[in-house]
Amino acid sequence: MAIDEVVLLDFWSSPFGLRARITLAEKGIKYEYKEEDLRNKSSLLLEMNPVHKKIPVLIHNGKSICESLNIVQYIDEVWNDRSPLLPSDPYQRAQARFWADYVFPAQKKLAFATKEEKESAEKEFLDALKLLEEQLGDKDYFGGDKFDFVDIAFAPYYSFFKIYEIVGNFKMEEEFPKICAWAKRCMQKESVSMSLPDSQKVLGFFMEMRKNFLGTE
Amino acid sequence: MGSKDVKVLNFWVSPFGKRVEWALKLKGVEYEYIEEDISNKSNLLLELNPVYKKVPVLVHGNKAIAESFVILEYIDETWKQYPLMPHDPYERAHARFWATSAQQKLGKEGSWTALIKSGEEKEKALNTASEVLEKLEEEIKGKKFFGGDNIGYLDIALGWISYIIPIWEEVGSIQIIDRLKFPAINEWMTNFLNHPVVKDSLPPRDKALDYYHLSVKKHTPN
């Protein structure tokens, strides 16, 4: 049997890349991780994702798969003998795909909001998270008893919770207790805890990026 | 499954909703069509799609599904006749990629932006569109449809190109698809438009032209 060659082109703090990393870990797939310098993209990246030139890119036996949720679904379909990540019922699958996509344009707006934009960006973000908190309800995971597709889509943003609190003006635990409990539950999973970068490191990196972008603290 | 069981909420000119209708027609699934006035959204729409409040929405029994690409996969997984998605996982990932990328880069960033902007922005948008078209030309070469001999998921996802882009070209007096530079795409557009399921499903051209003339005016800064 031929050995699978799996390579992931990624950037250490990218939540999109993290979705791929968590998925590979969930399935126990061995792969080569290649860190991209996004200010100096490799010729491999440009060749494997000529349309968007973005990470993550999964390269499986020489063929490239782009867009994080595409990668998650692809991995689930190829390595379908273990840890299914999507439910088997078509309606549940549709719901999972719908919610995975919902996560999370609002957070980008908040993260980079100028003083003028801040109020409306914060409101939009809080509304989005309220919806997710409702969606989670009293379940252990978005997938119910199982950690699956929507959980994977959203778990990487745990590294950003502190950033939301600083940029916005609220406490995640107070506003969204269920999501915070869910996040802690996810961190108990090896596939998540071993994949997520240190949140202090992410905070430092992000605040620097934000300072450069906005020209302010 | 009878027609009472399946409903489609759509707006007559929306390319997103057309996808849903094409998929159901190809599979021979009867449905009830409900027209939405998106400038005056009904309580039904707000109830069925509270998150985005947009069409299309597919109603199947007591279930509501929103977002056209999510709906397409739901339709394909629920009604097994005339499979739309490719079987191979790589081909599936590839189709999903092009469905969303073409909508974003050829549609929004490319064609629509070229329509409502001018000068340098217009040029840049037309180039973005052209870059995507180059890749799609490679994809379709040697095939009648993206799905092979028959229409598949990607044809349905990209079908808007065949009737919306020519309309936008007329509205904006611009050329988005160079028919000589992209002969394979040109041929695919003709084949797609001639398909029995597509042919009689399109919105009236003059009505669509009026609609987009107005839409462009609204979006063009004065």
Side-chain angles (χ1 to χ4, degrees):
Chain A
M1 191 170 99
I3 295 176
D4 275 317
E5 192 196 272
V6 183
V7 178
L8 181 70
L9 304 181
D10 200 351
F11 183 71
W12 68 277
S13 68
S14 161
F16 304 108
L18 278 163
R19 290 167 173 176
R21 273 178 265 167
I22 293 172
T23 305
L24 289 162
E26 275 289 298
K27 298 269 187 179
I29 297 166
K30 285 195 166 50
Y31 67 99
E32 184 190 346
Y33 178 92
K34 283 200 167 133
E35 178 75 9
E36 278 287 327
D37 177 359
L38 297 181
R39 294 159 301 178
N40 185 19
K41 294 176 181 180
S42 71
S43 54
L44 181 63
L45 174 58
L46 300 178
E47 182 195 326
M48 290 289 150
N49 190 358
V51 176
H52 300 290
K53 307 173 177 60
K54 284 181 178 175
I55 55 90
V57 178
L58 187 78
I59 309 172
H60 182 207
N61 296 332
K63 294 205 273 203
S64 66
I65 299 99
C66 308
E67 299 294 289
S68 62
L69 294 177
N70 271 5
I71 293 172
V72 176
Q73 286 193 90
Y74 174 82
I75 293 170
D76 197 37
E77 288 173 12
V78 172
W79 286 271
N80 57 4
D81 56 342
R82 61 195 100 152
S83 309
L85 299 174
L86 276 169
S88 46
D89 171 70
Y91 179 64
Q92 305 292 349
R93 291 160 74 85
Q95 290 297 93
R97 287 178 175 130
F98 176 88
W99 286 106
D101 274 336
Y102 181 71
V103 180
F104 209 15
Q107 71 111 33
K108 194 174 180 188
K109 263 193 214 167
L110 175 65
F112 292 99
T114 59
K115 263 207 204 102
E116 297 81 26
E117 294 164 343
K118 209 185 240 188
E119 207 184 310
S120 70
E122 189 175 320
K123 179 168 190 312
E124 198 178 318
F125 177 81
L126 291 172
D127 286 345
L129 233 55
K130 261 190 214 110
L131 209 55
L132 284 171
E133 177 101 346
E134 264 171 45
Q135 193 54 29
L136 177 64
D138 293 316
K139 305 196 294 268
D140 276 351
Y141 300 106
F142 284 94
D145 295 327
K146 275 174 70 254
F147 173 87
D148 66 11
F149 198 64
V150 180
D151 302 284
I152 291 176
F154 193 21
Y157 290 100
Y158 177 64
S159 305
F160 292 74
F161 280 15
K162 282 235 165 356
I163 295 170
Y164 304 150
E165 288 180 334
I166 292 174
V167 173
N169 199 8
F170 54 87
K171 287 273 169 249
M172 285 292 290
E173 194 82 47
E174 275 171 27
E175 296 281 344
F176 310 109
K178 292 185 174 154
I179 286 185
C180 287
W182 162 85
K184 292 199 181 90
R185 209 171 288 130
C186 289
M187 285 301 278
Q188 282 170 12
K189 294 188 66 66
E190 206 183 323
S191 62
V192 178
S193 61
M194 68 181 244
S195 304
L196 254 59
D198 173 61
S199 54
Q200 281 298 117
K201 208 177 161 206
V202 175
L203 180 63
F205 176 76
F206 171 78
M207 294 311 273
E208 191 63 37
M209 205 169 46
R210 187 163 175 274
K211 197 166 81 176
N212 291 333
F213 180 80
L214 294 173
T216 173
E217 206 53 58
Chain B
M1 292 279 168
S3 56
K4 288 197 199 88
D5 207 33
V6 184
K7 302 189 216 298
V8 176
L9 265 80
N10 193 18
F11 178 59
W12 65 276
V13 78
S14 162
F16 308 103
K18 269 289 160 265
R19 290 171 181 153
V20 176
E21 293 193 74
W22 290 332
L24 291 169
K25 285 193 212 282
L26 281 165
K27 290 188 180 261
V29 176
E30 282 182 29
Y31 60 95
E32 183 192 336
Y33 179 91
I34 300 173
E35 176 72 13
E36 264 295 319
D37 176 2
I38 56 174
S39 61
N40 183 19
K41 295 177 181 181
S42 71
N43 287 331
L44 180 66
L45 176 61
L46 301 178
E47 180 192 317
L48 293 174
N49 189 2
V51 176
Y52 295 118
K53 308 173 178 51
K54 283 183 177 175
V55 291
V57 180
L58 179 80
V59 180
H60 183 203
N62 60 355
K63 299 176 272 208
I65 302 106
E67 294 297 282
S68 64
F69 294 135
V70 175
I71 297 173
L72 286 183
E73 295 214 37
Y74 174 81
I75 290 173
D76 206 32
E77 290 170 6
T78 302
W79 291 281
K80 306 281 193 195
Q81 66 276 24
Y82 199 105
L84 298 171
M85 286 290 280
H87 189 69
D88 172 70
Y90 177 74
E91 296 301 319
R92 292 160 70 86
H94 202 65
R96 287 176 181 135
F97 173 82
W98 276 117
T100 51
S101 297
Q103 188 166 285
Q104 178 64 28
K105 289 224 147 214
L106 176 59
K108 194 161 172 214
E109 280 173 41
S111 313
W112 180 251
T113 303
L115 205 52
I116 61 173
K117 301 281 183 194
S118 55
E120 243 181 76
E121 278 188 279
K122 194 189 202 80
E123 277 311 306
K124 185 166 178 235
L126 287 169
N127 279 334
T128 300
S130 201
E131 277 171 21
V132 178
L133 290 165
E134 268 173 40
K135 303 262 171 356
L136 290 178
E137 178 81 4
E138 276 169 49
E139 287 291 321
I140 191 67
K141 239 182 205 127
K143 296 197 284 197
K144 187 175 182 195
F145 296 112
F146 289 95
D149 292 328
N150 294 310
I151 284 185
Y153 170 89
L154 191 51
D155 299 280
I156 294 176
L158 299 177
W160 63 272
I161 294 171
S162 70
Y163 77 100
I164 295 279
I165 290 193
I167 287 174
W168 286 355
E169 286 177 323
E170 194 173 319
V171 166
S173 300
I174 52 173
Q175 185 188 62
I176 296 168
I177 303 179
D178 183 336
R179 308 301 195 270
L180 294 174
K181 195 174 170 200
F182 306 115
I185 291 181
N186 192 28
E187 203 179 317
W188 167 80
M189 284 166 68
T190 308
N191 287 331
F192 188 81
L193 288 169
N194 280 326
H195 191 284
V197 144
V198 177
K199 217 178 352 189
D200 300 319
S201 73
L202 298 179
R205 197 160 200 274
D206 48 354
K207 230 181 139 195
L209 281 165
D210 287 342
Y211 175 83
Y212 281 113
H213 266 295
L214 218 68
S215 198
V216 169
K217 257 206 191 117
K218 270 191 232 164
H219 285 94
T220 311
N222 250 341

